[in-house]
Amino acid sequence: MDAFVIQGGNPLRGEIKVNGSKNAALPLMAAALLTNQPVTLEGIPRLADIGNMRRLLIELGVDIEEQPDGLRFQATDESASHARYEIVRTMRASICVLGPMLARRGIARVSLPGGCAIGDRPVDLHLRGLEALGAEVSLDSGDILVKAPAPGGRLRGGRVFLAGPFGPTVLGTANVMSAATLAEGVTIIECAACEPEVVDLARLLNAMGAHIRGAGTPRIVIEGVKELGTAHHRVIGDRIEAGTYMMASAMTRGDLTIRDCPLDALLATWDHLERAGVALTVIDESDPMRASIRIRGTDAIQPVHVTTNPHPGFPTDLQAQMMALLSMASGNSSITERIFPDRFLHVAELSRMGARLFRQGPTVIVSGVRELIGAPVMASDLRASASLVLAGLAAKGQTIVRRVYHLDRGYERMETGLASLGADIRRVREEELPLIE
Ligand code: EPZ
């Protein structure tokens, strides 16, 4: 396993380009299961999760080829229908093959993804949505088994209210919207997720011949068609990667220009950073989803109250990074997590670096300190890991972040990008650490 060794205190300066969005790419790749025609996706990031999804799709009969203009997917063998536990357990987002496979092949068996470090990850809403399309759902030794009404039959359009106690479901919306594209009749998804990644998926599906209206709003209407065809699509920029770099610049008193920034998907984050006293400038927003922005850090980070919400609210995937930033504010902030109330594994680790954090259920009071102190810490999930790296960049002294494989799931060689901006960070094998510590 790898670790990062970080010597804090260097301001981030320079320019970076945002990569394609992991959370858009995964359901976009799964959409290739909806047709036997080629689907080309440009801008797919090179991440561990993407590699897992490629492995899964190949097992499900999809040929994948690197082309000059992106990755070309084509389902050439549609006989398989089982997403095995060995792959699903490494990436719970594998669940997004369920809807497309059911709609096209009439049957799908996907291992129940199980929980993860940020909490239970139920899929009851996914299943309720597919049942609304006429699917028969059953559990069979740890697998979800879904079948279209009649053997090899078509799903039929229906209405479904697709929200649970924590609001809409992003991948649940992706699954039901994808499946509905091939259903007979009209489907209405009420209280759909409005995330930009859902909008990006709807754009691809419509390019393949689907009839989807309302993506990005709480009500999506899908008019089923008999089949979908070929398309070429460019993945939107990763708003969470962009937000992470914005906070890294703010925390290190940096001066960072971010290119290809999905600014139009980051307005809540922009607002919270402005209120924290960060200097944010738009350089060019001729394409608001591929904008250029400039982020300059400040000596006096102001306290802010943050509550995570479904899009367009403040994103839960930036909660841990925001906590690292507010740990150095000149006053008390509060962070309330409404999507994954247990998403606080970073609290104990940030506290090891001198942050003063007081958890009360889904809320953490952040009592700002003048500076963080470097320490050995342990990454636990993708975004908590990012938060620890940001804290290490800003802290006094050396920070060692272990188990950075969590980070590799969602950030492409983060240490290389940060080092190119002046950070003192390097990747080592964990067995080398005793010599360093
Ligand atoms: C997506 O996960 C993202 N992952 C997550 O990003 C992100 O945190 C999450 O949306 C919320 O924005 C991908 O897109 C691959 P949900 P998803 O279904 O779709 C509950 C990252 O760091 N729920 O929107 O799995 C659920 O427990 C990852 O990149 C049910 O109760 O999340 C949660 O409390 C982490 N029943 C809430 O809804 C269900 O059937 C939102 O979950 C489904 C979800």
Side-chain angles (χ1 to χ4, degrees):
M1 281 195 269
D2 290 355
F4 283 167
V5 178
I6 303 168
Q7 200 63 35
N10 295 9
L12 294 188
R13 291 211 176 98
E15 182 172 306
I16 55 131
K17 239 161 75 67
V18 175
N19 290 307
S21 162
K22 164 181 84 82
N23 289 352
L26 295 170
L28 291 173
M29 291 163 74
L33 294 166
L34 285 164
T35 176
N36 60 9
Q37 298 301 303
V39 175
T40 303
L41 299 176
E42 190 183 335
I44 297 273
R46 296 184 185 290
L47 300 169
D49 273 5
I50 299 297
N52 283 325
M53 180 58 88
R54 286 178 64 158
R55 260 195 12 251
L56 174 56
L57 290 175
I58 289 166
E59 273 201 14
L60 295 174
V62 178
D63 294 342
I64 303 177
E65 276 171 41
E66 304 263 352
Q67 303 267 324
D69 60 348
L71 275 181
R72 184 180 182 276
F73 299 78
Q74 184 162 11
T76 51
D77 173 1
E78 301 184 283
S79 58
S81 59
H82 184 189
R84 294 183 302 109
Y85 177 68
E86 287 64 31
I87 295 189
V88 175
R89 71 181 179 84
T90 60
M91 183 187 64
R92 56 171 312 286
S94 310
I95 190 73
C96 65
V97 302
L98 189 69
M101 201 154 49
L102 168 67
R104 170 83 186 172
R105 302 182 183 183
I107 185 170
R109 173 187 284 266
V110 176
S111 171
L112 258 175
C116 69
I118 65 177
D120 296 342
R121 306 296 294 273
V123 292
D124 56 307
L125 300 173
H126 297 240
L127 303 182
R128 189 139 62 81
L130 296 177
E131 279 174 334
L133 302 182
E136 293 160 30
V137 174
S138 58
L139 293 189
D140 175 19
S141 49
D143 290 342
I144 303 160
L145 183 59
V146 287
K147 292 179 185 168
R154 270 181 90 184
L155 296 170
R156 58 172 185 277
R159 295 166 184 271
V160 61
F161 174 78
L162 203 61
F166 301 100
T169 162
V170 175
L171 289 182
T173 301
N175 256 330
V176 177
M177 181 171 74
S178 298
T181 59
L182 293 177
E184 190 157 4
V186 177
T187 296
I188 294 176
I189 303 175
E190 188 71 305
C191 211
C194 302
E195 271 67 7
E197 293 77 27
V198 170
V199 176
D200 205 33
L201 175 62
R203 282 209 189 98
L204 168 65
L205 295 173
N206 282 342
M208 292 167 67
H211 294 163
I212 299 171
R213 284 178 289 115
T217 76
R219 173 172 287 205
I220 301 178
V221 181
I222 305 107
E223 212 176 307
V225 295
K226 272 209 175 313
E227 62 179 12
L228 296 179
T230 188
H232 183 292
H233 180 82
R234 185 177 177 187
V235 183
I236 55 170
D238 192 319
R239 61 191 168 105
I240 305 304
E241 183 191 44
T244 303
Y245 276 109
M246 289 164 78
M247 292 176 196
S249 180
M251 290 176 68
T252 59
R253 299 187 180 85
D255 186 347
L256 183 60
T257 297
I258 300 178
R259 304 277 181 213
D260 277 358
C261 177
L263 177 59
D264 202 34
L266 278 165
L267 299 188
T269 303
W270 183 280
D271 168 69
H272 284 72
L273 289 178
E274 253 183 354
R275 280 190 276 144
V278 179
L280 301 141
T281 319
V282 176
I283 300 168
D284 169 26
E285 60 177 328
S286 42
D287 177 350
M289 286 298 280
R290 296 190 193 286
S292 291
I293 62 172
R294 183 180 177 194
I295 318 294
R296 275 163 295 160
T298 164
D299 289 340
I301 295 169
Q302 300 305 312
V304 173
H305 298 293
V306 184
T307 298
T308 67
N309 273 301
H311 192 76
F314 188 90
T316 174
D317 292 350
L318 285 172
Q319 178 257 104
Q321 299 91 313
M322 191 70 179
M323 188 179 292
L325 171 70
L326 294 175
S327 295
M328 300 188 301
S330 55
N332 292 340
S333 304
S334 70
I335 295 183
T336 299
E337 173 59 64
R338 288 219 189 287
I339 313 294
F340 296 108
D342 290 328
R343 191 174 196 170
F344 288 130
L345 286 176
H346 43 288
V347 169
E349 298 304 305
L350 288 171
S351 303
R352 285 175 50 76
M353 299 177 71
R356 298 188 63 233
L357 308 170
F358 309 95
R359 179 174 174 186
Q360 297 287 320
T363 296
V364 171
I365 304 299
V366 185
S367 177
V369 293
R370 211 171 43 76
E371 69 178 353
L372 298 174
I373 312 297
V377 290
M378 186 84 74
S380 55
D381 71 87
L382 169 51
R383 308 302 176 183
S385 321
S387 148
L388 298 177
V389 172
L390 265 53
L393 294 173
K396 182 165 175 275
Q398 183 183 84
T399 296
I400 293 178
V401 182
R402 282 183 162 81
R403 300 188 182 172
V404 292
Y405 63 85
H406 289 292
L407 209 71
D408 294 336
R409 298 188 48 187
Y411 297 90
E412 211 170 316
R413 302 293 301 178
M414 188 184 216
E415 76 279 13
T416 311
L418 289 171
S420 73
L421 298 170
D424 181 345
I425 179 172
R426 59 200 166 93
R427 181 186 290 255
V428 299
R429 302 290 300 158
E430 285 211 1
E431 48 273 21
E432 293 172 46
L433 283 178
L435 310 177
I436 295 170
E437 273 176 319

